């Protein structure tokens, strides 16, 4: 299953379109793709902690999340 969500972000004095694509497939865990460097990939730990703190349980499937544009 592939889902696309569109949004926007303020960048300077203009708005930029943001696209988040999520795919759910067989497997376990989740993966963030489209990030510009390894330091930002640490957000994976913050996402996992936030989901646990609000009581959301990840399904027993592999979730791939693509965020674009990567420089935002």
């Amino acid at each position: 299953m592939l889902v696309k969500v569109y949004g926007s972000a303020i960048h300077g004095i203009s708005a930029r379109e943001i696209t988040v694509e999520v795919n759910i497939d067989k497997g376990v865990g989740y993966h963030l793709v489209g990030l510009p460097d390894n330091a930002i990939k640490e957000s994976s730990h913050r996402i996992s902690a936030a989901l646990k703190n609000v009581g959301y349980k990840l399904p027993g499937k592999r979730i791939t999340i693509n965020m674009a544009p990567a420089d935002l």
Side-chain angles (χ1 to χ4, degrees):
M1 168 186 5
L2 176 68
V3 176
K4 273 189 182 180
V5 177
Y6 297 98
S8 61
I10 302 296
H11 190 174
I13 60 171
S14 62
R16 301 249 337 244
E17 183 178 290
I18 304 293
T19 304
V20 178
E21 298 174 337
V22 178
N23 186 59
I24 298 178
D25 202 358
K26 295 178 184 176
V28 178
Y30 68 95
H31 308 280
L32 301 172
V33 296
L35 299 173
D37 69 31
N38 289 332
I40 296 175
K41 286 189 179 183
E42 293 174 1
S43 64
S44 170
H45 300 291
R46 291 191 295 271
I47 292 169
S48 177
L51 291 173
K52 287 179 185 175
N53 285 325
V54 298
Y56 183 80
K57 294 181 181 173
L58 290 173
K61 304 208 181 246
R62 184 178 68 208
I63 302 170
T64 304
I65 303 168
N66 177 38
M67 295 175 274
D71 62 338
L72 290 179

